[in-house]
Protein backbone atom coordinates (compact mmCIF):
# COMPACT_ATOMS: atom_id res chain seq x y z
CA UNK A 1 0.00 0.00 0.00
CA UNK A 2 1.34 3.43 -0.92
CA UNK A 3 2.12 5.59 2.10
CA UNK A 4 0.72 9.07 2.64
CA UNK A 5 4.16 10.50 2.00
CA UNK A 6 4.16 8.89 -1.42
CA UNK A 7 0.63 9.98 -2.30
CA UNK A 8 1.66 12.05 -5.29
CA UNK A 9 3.06 11.38 -8.72
CA UNK A 10 6.58 10.01 -9.04
CA UNK A 11 8.70 10.12 -12.15
CA UNK A 12 11.63 7.77 -12.59
CA UNK A 13 13.89 7.15 -15.57
CA UNK A 14 13.18 3.95 -17.47
CA UNK A 15 16.49 2.19 -18.02
CA UNK A 16 14.80 -0.86 -19.41
CA UNK A 17 14.02 -4.08 -17.59
CA UNK A 18 17.40 -4.83 -16.11
CA UNK A 19 17.98 -7.30 -13.33
CA UNK A 20 19.79 -6.56 -10.11
CA UNK A 21 22.18 -8.55 -7.97
CA UNK A 22 20.54 -10.25 -5.03
CA UNK A 23 20.40 -13.58 -3.22
CA UNK A 24 24.00 -14.38 -4.23
CA UNK A 25 23.31 -14.02 -7.95
CA UNK A 26 26.35 -11.80 -8.51
CA UNK A 27 28.56 -14.41 -6.86
CA UNK A 28 26.96 -17.12 -8.98
CA UNK A 29 27.71 -15.26 -12.22
CA UNK A 30 31.26 -14.68 -10.97
CA UNK A 31 31.66 -18.41 -10.35
CA UNK A 32 30.40 -19.21 -13.85
CA UNK A 33 32.92 -16.74 -15.28
CA UNK A 34 35.73 -18.37 -13.34
CA UNK A 35 34.64 -21.75 -14.66
CA UNK A 36 34.81 -20.48 -18.24
CA UNK A 37 38.29 -19.11 -17.59
CA UNK A 38 39.46 -22.37 -15.99
CA UNK A 39 38.40 -24.51 -18.94
CA UNK A 40 39.72 -21.99 -21.47
CA UNK A 41 43.16 -21.90 -19.88
CA UNK A 42 43.25 -25.69 -19.54
CA UNK A 43 42.53 -25.90 -23.28
CA UNK A 44 45.43 -23.54 -23.98
CA UNK A 45 43.20 -20.94 -25.63
CA UNK A 46 43.65 -17.21 -25.11
CA UNK A 47 40.77 -14.80 -24.61
CA UNK A 48 41.46 -13.34 -28.04
CA UNK A 49 41.39 -16.75 -29.71
CA UNK A 50 38.14 -17.68 -28.01
CA UNK A 51 36.59 -14.34 -28.91
CA UNK A 52 37.52 -14.76 -32.57
CA UNK A 53 36.05 -18.26 -32.73
CA UNK A 54 32.67 -17.30 -31.24
CA UNK A 55 32.28 -13.80 -32.71
CA UNK A 56 32.65 -11.90 -29.42
CA UNK A 57 35.05 -9.10 -28.58
CA UNK A 58 38.05 -9.96 -26.43
CA UNK A 59 36.90 -7.39 -23.89
CA UNK A 60 33.48 -9.04 -23.60
CA UNK A 61 35.03 -12.46 -22.97
CA UNK A 62 37.12 -10.88 -20.24
CA UNK A 63 34.09 -9.22 -18.65
CA UNK A 64 32.21 -12.53 -18.58
CA UNK A 65 35.15 -14.34 -17.03
CA UNK A 66 35.38 -11.67 -14.33
CA UNK A 67 31.66 -11.90 -13.61
CA UNK A 68 31.04 -8.35 -14.84
CA UNK A 69 28.63 -9.45 -17.59
CA UNK A 70 25.94 -12.09 -17.42
CA UNK A 71 26.84 -14.89 -19.86
CA UNK A 72 24.23 -15.58 -22.52
CA UNK A 73 22.91 -19.11 -22.86
CA UNK A 74 24.25 -19.27 -26.41
CA UNK A 75 27.71 -18.22 -25.21
CA UNK A 76 27.97 -21.09 -22.73
CA UNK A 77 26.65 -23.76 -25.09
CA UNK A 78 28.98 -22.69 -27.93
CA UNK A 79 32.06 -22.30 -25.73
CA UNK A 80 31.59 -25.68 -24.00
CA UNK A 81 32.96 -27.90 -26.83
CA UNK A 82 35.61 -25.35 -27.81
CA UNK A 83 37.26 -25.47 -24.39
CA UNK A 84 36.57 -29.19 -23.84
CA UNK A 85 34.33 -28.55 -20.84
CA UNK A 86 32.62 -31.90 -21.29
CA UNK A 87 29.11 -30.45 -20.99
CA UNK A 88 29.78 -28.59 -17.73
CA UNK A 89 29.07 -25.16 -19.23
CA UNK A 90 26.00 -26.42 -21.09
CA UNK A 91 24.56 -27.71 -17.82
CA UNK A 92 25.30 -24.41 -16.08
CA UNK A 93 23.54 -22.52 -18.88
CA UNK A 94 20.17 -23.76 -17.65
CA UNK A 95 20.93 -22.51 -14.14
CA UNK A 96 22.00 -19.13 -15.53
CA UNK A 97 18.63 -18.73 -17.24
CA UNK A 98 16.79 -19.71 -14.06
CA UNK A 99 18.83 -17.16 -12.10
CA UNK A 100 17.99 -14.44 -14.63
CA UNK A 101 14.30 -15.19 -14.39
CA UNK A 102 14.31 -15.40 -10.60
CA UNK A 103 16.03 -12.04 -10.17
CA UNK A 104 13.93 -10.35 -12.83
CA UNK A 105 10.77 -11.56 -11.10
CA UNK A 106 11.87 -10.11 -7.78
CA UNK A 107 13.86 -7.03 -8.64
CA UNK A 108 13.13 -5.59 -12.12
CA UNK A 109 14.74 -2.18 -12.32
CA UNK A 110 12.21 -1.22 -15.00
CA UNK A 111 10.18 1.16 -12.87
CA UNK A 112 10.56 -0.87 -9.69
CA UNK A 113 7.55 0.86 -8.18
CA UNK A 114 5.38 -0.11 -11.16
CA UNK A 115 6.42 -3.75 -11.46
CA UNK A 116 6.12 -4.24 -7.71
CA UNK A 117 2.53 -2.99 -7.85
CA UNK A 118 1.77 -4.92 -11.05
CA UNK A 119 2.98 -8.22 -9.55
CA UNK A 120 0.53 -8.06 -6.65
CA UNK A 121 -2.37 -6.20 -8.30
CA UNK A 122 -5.81 -7.77 -8.28
CA UNK A 123 -6.84 -5.65 -11.28
CA UNK A 124 -4.77 -4.36 -14.21
CA UNK A 125 -6.28 -2.21 -16.98
CA UNK A 126 -4.07 -0.86 -19.76
CA UNK A 127 -4.60 1.31 -22.82
CA UNK A 128 -1.79 1.27 -25.41
CA UNK A 129 -1.30 3.50 -28.43
CA UNK A 130 2.23 2.61 -29.63
CA UNK A 131 3.09 -1.04 -28.94
CA UNK A 132 1.49 -4.30 -27.85
CA UNK A 133 1.22 -4.23 -24.03
CA UNK A 134 4.19 -5.87 -22.30
CA UNK A 135 2.17 -8.69 -20.74
CA UNK A 136 1.00 -9.73 -24.22
CA UNK A 137 4.27 -9.51 -26.15
CA UNK A 138 5.95 -12.55 -27.70
CA UNK A 139 9.65 -13.07 -27.09
CA UNK A 140 10.46 -12.17 -30.70
CA UNK A 141 8.44 -8.95 -30.46
CA UNK A 142 10.13 -7.99 -27.16
CA UNK A 143 13.57 -8.58 -28.63
CA UNK A 144 12.70 -6.54 -31.73
CA UNK A 145 11.61 -3.60 -29.58
CA UNK A 146 14.87 -3.59 -27.66
CA UNK A 147 17.01 -4.07 -30.76
CA UNK A 148 15.49 -0.97 -32.34
CA UNK A 149 16.02 1.08 -29.16
CA UNK A 150 18.11 4.24 -29.50
CA UNK A 151 20.72 4.73 -28.18
CA UNK A 152 21.43 1.10 -29.03
CA UNK A 153 21.65 -1.51 -26.29
CA UNK A 154 24.33 -4.17 -25.87
CA UNK A 155 23.38 -7.76 -26.75
CA UNK A 156 23.82 -8.74 -23.11
CA UNK A 157 21.52 -6.00 -21.88
CA UNK A 158 18.89 -6.93 -24.45
CA UNK A 159 18.95 -10.54 -23.26
CA UNK A 160 18.54 -9.47 -19.63
CA UNK A 161 15.64 -7.16 -20.43
CA UNK A 162 13.92 -9.79 -22.59
CA UNK A 163 14.16 -12.31 -19.73
CA UNK A 164 12.79 -9.73 -17.29
CA UNK A 165 9.77 -8.88 -19.43
CA UNK A 166 8.97 -12.53 -20.08
CA UNK A 167 9.16 -13.16 -16.33
CA UNK A 168 6.55 -10.44 -15.75
CA UNK A 169 4.10 -12.41 -17.89
CA UNK A 170 3.80 -15.08 -15.19
CA UNK A 171 1.04 -12.81 -13.88
CA UNK A 172 -1.22 -14.36 -16.54
CA UNK A 173 -0.54 -17.92 -15.42
CA UNK A 174 -0.94 -17.58 -11.65
CA UNK A 175 -4.06 -18.39 -9.68
CA UNK A 176 -6.21 -16.63 -8.81
CA UNK A 177 -5.86 -14.68 -12.03
CA UNK A 178 -6.17 -10.92 -11.59
CA UNK A 179 -8.84 -9.03 -13.49
CA UNK A 180 -6.91 -7.93 -16.59
CA UNK A 181 -8.13 -5.91 -19.56
CA UNK A 182 -6.41 -4.13 -22.40
CA UNK A 183 -7.49 -1.71 -25.08
CA UNK A 184 -5.02 -1.41 -27.95
CA UNK A 185 -5.20 1.11 -30.77
CA UNK A 186 -5.73 -0.45 -34.19
CA UNK A 187 -2.63 1.34 -35.51
CA UNK A 188 -0.52 -0.83 -33.16
CA UNK A 189 -1.83 -3.97 -34.86
CA UNK A 190 -0.98 -2.62 -38.29
CA UNK A 191 2.59 -1.61 -37.40
CA UNK A 192 4.80 -4.59 -38.40
CA UNK A 193 7.53 -4.03 -35.82
CA UNK A 194 10.33 -6.56 -36.15
CA UNK A 195 9.28 -7.65 -39.64
CA UNK A 196 6.35 -9.55 -41.10
CA UNK A 197 7.16 -12.87 -39.43
CA UNK A 198 7.49 -11.32 -35.96
CA UNK A 199 4.33 -9.31 -36.57
CA UNK A 200 2.35 -12.36 -37.68
CA UNK A 201 3.53 -14.33 -34.66
CA UNK A 202 2.44 -11.52 -32.37
CA UNK A 203 -1.03 -11.31 -33.90
CA UNK A 204 -1.44 -15.09 -33.63
CA UNK A 205 -0.46 -14.83 -29.96
CA UNK A 206 -3.21 -12.26 -29.41
CA UNK A 207 -5.75 -14.57 -31.01
CA UNK A 208 -4.75 -17.33 -28.58
CA UNK A 209 -5.25 -14.90 -25.72
CA UNK A 210 -8.79 -14.29 -26.96
CA UNK A 211 -9.56 -17.93 -26.22
CA UNK A 212 -8.52 -17.66 -22.56
CA UNK A 213 -11.08 -17.29 -19.82
CA UNK A 214 -10.63 -14.06 -17.90
CA UNK A 215 -8.31 -11.63 -19.72
CA UNK A 216 -10.07 -9.35 -22.19
CA UNK A 217 -8.50 -7.57 -25.15
CA UNK A 218 -10.34 -4.88 -27.09
CA UNK A 219 -9.25 -2.88 -30.10
CA UNK A 220 -9.89 0.83 -30.58
CA UNK A 221 -10.66 1.12 -34.32
CA UNK A 222 -9.24 3.89 -36.46
CA UNK A 223 -12.66 4.99 -37.71
CA UNK A 224 -13.97 6.25 -34.35
CA UNK A 225 -15.20 9.86 -34.52
CA UNK A 226 -14.83 10.29 -30.73
CA UNK A 227 -11.90 8.93 -28.77
CA UNK A 228 -11.31 9.39 -25.03
CA UNK A 229 -7.75 8.10 -25.20
CA UNK A 230 -6.07 10.75 -27.34
CA UNK A 231 -3.90 11.74 -24.39
CA UNK A 232 -1.81 8.59 -24.80
CA UNK A 233 -1.12 5.26 -23.13
CA UNK A 234 -1.65 4.57 -19.43
CA UNK A 235 -2.37 1.81 -16.91
CA UNK A 236 -4.69 1.68 -13.91
CA UNK A 237 -4.08 -0.98 -11.24
CA UNK A 238 -5.76 -2.01 -8.01
CA UNK A 239 -3.50 -3.39 -5.25
CA UNK A 240 -5.02 -5.76 -2.68
CA UNK A 241 -6.61 -3.77 0.12
CA UNK A 242 -5.53 -0.42 -1.27
CA UNK A 243 -6.72 2.38 -3.56
CA UNK A 244 -6.18 2.33 -7.30
CA UNK A 245 -2.94 3.72 -8.71
CA UNK A 246 -2.03 4.86 -12.20
CA UNK A 247 1.03 4.53 -14.38
CA UNK A 248 2.18 6.47 -17.45
CA UNK A 249 5.27 5.80 -19.57
CA UNK A 250 6.45 8.12 -22.34
CA UNK A 251 9.85 8.57 -23.98
CA UNK A 252 11.38 6.09 -21.52
CA UNK A 253 10.28 8.11 -18.50
CA UNK A 254 7.94 6.45 -16.01
CA UNK A 255 5.38 8.16 -13.86
CA UNK A 256 3.60 6.33 -11.06
CA UNK A 257 0.43 8.26 -10.18
CA UNK A 258 -1.04 7.95 -6.69
CA UNK A 259 -2.99 11.19 -6.40
CA UNK A 260 -6.61 10.03 -5.79
CA UNK A 261 -8.24 12.65 -8.04
CA UNK A 262 -5.93 12.01 -10.97
CA UNK A 263 -6.22 8.24 -10.64
CA UNK A 264 -10.01 8.51 -10.52
CA UNK A 265 -9.92 10.57 -13.72
CA UNK A 266 -7.69 7.94 -15.38
CA UNK A 267 -10.09 5.16 -14.38
CA UNK A 268 -13.06 7.11 -15.74
CA UNK A 269 -11.17 7.76 -18.97
CA UNK A 270 -10.40 4.07 -19.33
CA UNK A 271 -14.08 3.20 -18.89
CA UNK A 272 -14.94 5.56 -21.74
CA UNK A 273 -12.20 4.07 -23.92
CA UNK A 274 -13.53 0.54 -23.36
CA UNK A 275 -17.05 1.67 -24.24
CA UNK A 276 -15.79 3.22 -27.50
CA UNK A 277 -13.65 0.23 -28.46
CA UNK A 278 -14.74 -2.90 -30.31
CA UNK A 279 -16.13 -5.82 -28.30
CA UNK A 280 -13.89 -8.80 -27.59
CA UNK A 281 -15.43 -10.79 -30.45
CA UNK A 282 -15.20 -7.87 -32.86
CA UNK A 283 -11.61 -7.27 -31.78
CA UNK A 284 -10.60 -10.86 -32.49
CA UNK A 285 -12.26 -10.64 -35.91
CA UNK A 286 -10.27 -7.50 -36.71
CA UNK A 287 -7.00 -9.17 -35.65
CA UNK A 288 -7.80 -12.13 -37.93
CA UNK A 289 -8.54 -9.72 -40.76
CA UNK A 290 -5.25 -7.87 -40.33
CA UNK A 291 -3.37 -11.18 -40.06
CA UNK A 292 -4.97 -12.32 -43.30
CA UNK A 293 -3.73 -9.21 -45.07
CA UNK A 294 -0.09 -10.09 -44.35
Amino acid sequence: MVSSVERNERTVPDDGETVENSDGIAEFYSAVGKLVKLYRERAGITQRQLAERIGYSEDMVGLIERGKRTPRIEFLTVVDPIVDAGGALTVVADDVMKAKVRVSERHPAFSKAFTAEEAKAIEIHEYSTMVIPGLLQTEAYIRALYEMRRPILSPEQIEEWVAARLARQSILTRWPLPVVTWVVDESVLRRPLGGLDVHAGQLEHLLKLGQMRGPELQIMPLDRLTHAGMGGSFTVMTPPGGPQIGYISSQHMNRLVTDPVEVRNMAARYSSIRAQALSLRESMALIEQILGER
Side-chain angles (χ1 to χ4, degrees):
M1 185 172 179
V2 181
S3 69
S4 58
V5 176
E6 296 173 302
R7 192 153 301 288
N8 50 33
E9 63 186 49
R10 297 195 295 257
T11 303
V12 295
D14 170 3
D15 58 353
E17 279 168 294
T18 57
V19 293
E20 297 181 339
N21 294 328
S22 65
D23 303 332
I25 296 301
E27 289 77 8
F28 171 65
Y29 289 154
S30 177
V32 172
K34 290 177 181 178
L35 194 62
V36 172
K37 181 179 180 181
L38 173 65
Y39 282 111
R40 176 183 60 75
E41 292 181 341
R42 280 187 177 180
I45 301 174
T46 66
Q47 285 186 349
R48 175 173 295 181
Q49 290 171 333
L50 179 60
E52 290 175 348
R53 292 184 65 175
I54 63 177
Y56 271 55
S57 69
E58 183 179 356
D59 287 342
M60 182 56 66
V61 172
L63 288 171
I64 291 173
E65 290 188 349
R66 295 195 301 275
K68 301 299 183 181
R69 286 290 186 276
T70 306
R72 298 175 64 182
I73 309 305
E74 295 84 354
F75 173 87
L76 294 171
T77 54
V78 170
V79 169
D80 190 295
I82 294 175
V83 299
D84 296 324
L89 298 181
T90 301
V91 171
V92 170
D94 185 54
D95 293 324
V96 169
M97 176 55 74
K98 290 177 181 177
K100 286 184 177 183
V101 172
R102 186 170 77 249
V103 177
S104 63
E105 285 176 336
R106 297 181 183 178
H107 303 282
F110 164 66
S111 185
K112 299 174 192 176
F114 167 69
T115 49
E117 296 293 345
E118 180 188 60
K120 64 185 180 183
I122 59 175
E123 290 190 29
I124 304 172
H125 307 288
E126 180 176 356
Y127 171 59
S128 182
T129 63
M130 296 300 296
V131 297
I132 301 297
L135 294 179
L136 304 180
Q137 294 172 2
T138 64
E139 181 175 349
Y141 188 89
I142 297 170
R143 183 168 281 104
L145 290 179
Y146 285 137
E147 288 178 346
M148 67 182 70
R149 187 86 169 256
R150 294 297 181 272
I152 63 173
L153 305 173
S154 69
E156 293 70 31
Q157 193 160 50
I158 290 174
E159 290 303 314
E160 289 187 356
W161 289 5
V162 169
R165 181 161 295 185
L166 288 173
R168 281 176 54 206
Q169 296 180 0
S170 64
I171 290 171
L172 300 181
T173 59
R174 75 187 189 202
W175 190 261
L177 185 71
V179 176
V180 190
T181 67
W182 302 270
V183 179
V184 179
D185 196 85
E186 181 183 342
S187 61
V188 175
L189 302 180
R190 295 189 176 279
R191 187 175 294 120
L193 297 180
L196 295 182
D197 289 342
V198 172
H199 184 230
Q202 179 63 69
L203 294 182
E204 290 169 354
H205 182 67
L206 296 181
L207 290 175
K208 292 179 182 178
L209 172 84
Q211 300 173 3
M212 291 178 60
R213 288 194 309 124
E216 296 184 14
L217 170 63
Q218 295 175 253
I219 307 303
M220 176 66 80
L222 293 173
D223 62 2
R224 285 294 186 260
L225 301 181
T226 58
H227 190 331
M230 294 305 293
S233 305
F234 63 92
T235 303
V236 177
M237 299 177 290
T238 304
Q244 283 187 318
I245 56 178
Y247 175 76
I248 300 171
S249 179
S250 177
Q251 290 298 313
H252 311 315
M253 294 298 292
N254 303 319
R255 178 182 165 209
L256 188 65
V257 183
T258 55
D259 176 76
V261 174
E262 188 166 358
V263 175
R264 187 163 58 248
N265 288 338
M266 292 173 69
R269 193 176 308 125
Y270 186 78
S271 295
S272 296
I273 291 172
R274 288 199 72 187
Q276 295 167 347
L278 299 175
S279 67
L280 174 60
R281 179 174 297 182
E282 292 169 335
S283 297
M284 293 301 107
L286 178 58
I287 294 173
E288 289 182 338
Q289 175 188 326
I290 295 174
L291 183 59
E293 295 171 358
R294 297 301 172 190

